[in-house]
Amino acid sequence: MSFATRRTSALLRFVVPAFLIILVLYYWTSPSPAIYSVTSPNVDKARQTAPQAPSSPKKEDIPPAPPVAPPVPSAIPPVATHAASATGTHPIDIRIRAAEEEFEEKLSRESKSLEEAAAAYRKRRGRHPPPGFKEWYDFATENKAVMVEDFWDQIYHDLEPFWAKEPSRTRKDAWEFEMRIHIRDHNATTTSTWFWTKIWISLIKEIEHLLPDMDIPLNAMDEPRVIVPWEDMDGFMTEAHKTRAMKEPADVVSTWSKLLPADQDPEESVAKSTRSWDRNKHFWEIVRRGCAPDSPARQAEIMTDFTKTPMIQNSLAAPHMENGYVKNYTLSTEFCHQPDLQGLNGIFVEPITVAATDDLFPLFGGSKLAVNNEILLPAPMYWNEEERFVGKQTDQPSWSEKNDGAVWRGVATGGKNRENNWKAFQRHRFVAMNNGTKLTRAEEWAELPNNFALPPSNYQLGAQEEGKLGEWVGSWADVAFVDLMCETKQTPAILCNYTNLYYSVKDGMKLDKQFHWKYMPDIDGNSFSGRYLGFLRSTSLPIKATLWREWHDSRLVAWKHFVPMDNRFTEWYGIMEYFLGYKDRKGHDEEAEKIALAGRDWAQRVLRKEDMKIYVLRLLLEYARVSDDRRERMGWVEDLVGAAVEDPDA
C-alpha cells in the first residue's frame, strides 16, 4: 500500500518508523504470554487487548503516521521451523509416512474368521461377545465388512459407563424419554414424527429381525445434551471396570429378556427421572464440567467479552501438534487442554439451542463433543444420503482436471451469531482468513484483522516472506458465505447489518460443482459438518478441522485418508503451500492426490450404508445386554464350549 509523501523533517521521517520497529522487536523478544490465568481479576487479561498483526512486517510497510498499537504475536510451540528442513524433509512428509505405518498396522489385525473375531473381542473388551454375536458376524461378512475390532471402539466408549448403572434405571430412563424408537418382537416402531426419527427408524428397520426388545431414546437437537461431571464419570468408569470378567461357558446365558408392550411402563417400581435441564446459553460454563478438575479448561478464567479480536494461543495446541501440524488427530478434537477455544468456536459462546443435563442416561445422537455422554449413531444425513450433503458421486473430474485450489461455501452458522460475539465464531474466522484483500491490508498494516491472526513466521511461508500472502491466497481460495445468518431480520434475508462490512455473500454451489476443486476444507457448523462423508467419498482432498466425534472416527487415519487441521486454522496456509508449492518451492500434488484417492477408496469399503447397518446392529446388541438384569452372565461362547475361559485381569 502506498502513502502520500509528506513534507516533514528528515529526523521525523526516520524516528517514527524506527520507534515502531523497536517496539515490535521488544514484543517479539519478550517472553510468551501466559497460556491461561486463574488469578487474573477479570477475563480481559486472559484475552488479547490489541489486534494481532503481521508476524514479520517490513519497514516500508509501516506507515509513518498515525502510529498504531504494537502487534501481539500469536504464541507458538517452541520449535525451530514448520517448513522443510535442511535435508528437504517437510513435517507433513513425516506425518504422511507415520499414517501409512499406522494404517498398515491396523489392517494387520483384521479377523478372517468367526473364531478370530471372537478372540479379538475378548482381548480388547475383557468380556465375552454379546448374545447374537454369530448372527452379527454372519451379517457383517455377508456385507463384505472389514473386520478390525478397533473399528467398533466408539461403541464401548459410549456404553461402558452404563455398566455402573442399574439396568432397571437404564430401561426406565429409555422408555420415558419423549422421542424414542421401540423394538418389540423384532419390530421397530415409533410415535415420533420428527424427520430425524423417521430416518433413524428406516435404518433400524433394516436390521430389526436381528434385534431383541429395547427402547432407544433419540436426541432431536443439533447440539449434544448429556454432560456428566468428570468426577462422576470417573466413578462410573471405575465401577464399570470391576464388572469386566468372563464366565465359564457353562455359566453363560445367551438368551434375551422380553419387555412389556411399548405402551406399558416396563419398570413401574422404578421412580420417574427427576433430571433437570440446564439452558445456560453460555455453553462453555456447562461443557467444561466434563473436563478433569486440574485441566486447563477447568482452571482458566471464563471469557465473557467476545467483542475484541480473539486470542489465538497456538502454544495450547502443543500436546497434539508437532512442528506446526496435527500429530494426534483425536486429541486435537478435545478442548480440555485448550481453554482459548472458548473464544474461537460458536458452540462454546452461544449455541442455537441448549438443554443439557448432568444425569447419565441413554440418549442416542449423531455427533457429540469429546466430553459428552451420548451414544453415537450414524448421522441422519449420512444414512439418508441427501444430495446437498453427499453430492453426486458419479462423473467427477479426474484429479488433473480439477481446479488447483480450495473451495468452501456455507452459512454463517456455528451458533447464534450476534453483533457482540461473531468474532468468536469459527466459520467467520476461516472465511476472513481466505480473503486476499484483508490479508494484503493486514500485511501492509493498513488494517488489522478483526477475528484472526496472520501465521507465525515459523512456517516460513514463501508468499508471506515476500509480503504477498494475500495475493497468493487470493489466487487459489474460493471461500465465501452464502448467507450471513443474521440475528435480526434483514432485507435481503441473507445479509446482516453488523457483518456486511466484513463479508460479501456469494451464490451457493452444489457439492458436485465443488468437487471440481482439489482441496475441500471442512469447517464445523452448529455441530459436526454433515458434508464430511460426501467429501471423503469424492476424489477431492478433505482438510478437516473439528471438535466433534462421529461413529466412524476409529475407521479413518489422519494424513492417510484426509488432512487434519487444528481448530485455530493456523497451519492452513502451511498445508496449502505444501501441496500447491510457491514459485521455486515444489508442491506435493502427487501426495495430495494419493490421500484424496485413498480416502475415497477406503470410504467405499468402510463407510457404506452396509457399514452403518453393521455398526448399529453391534451397538444395539451391546446396548440390549447392558440394559439387561442378567448382563454379567450374558454372552456368546459357542466357540468355547468345553474349554476353560481365562480372565484377562486375573
Side-chain angles (χ1 to χ4, degrees), residues 195-197 199-200 365-366 377-386 528:
F195 70 106
W196 280 9
T197 308
I199 296 171
W200 272 322
L377 292 166
M381 59 280 292
Y382 290 165
W383 174 254
N384 213 34
E385 295 189 333
E386 296 178 52
F528 77 109

Side-chain angles (χ1 to χ4, degrees), residues 571-587:
E571 76 272 35
W572 167 242
Y573 310 113
I575 289 171
M576 293 306 294
E577 185 186 79
Y578 172 83
F579 288 124
L580 297 176
Y582 182 76
K583 292 187 176 180
D584 60 342
R585 297 186 181 186
K586 182 179 178 296

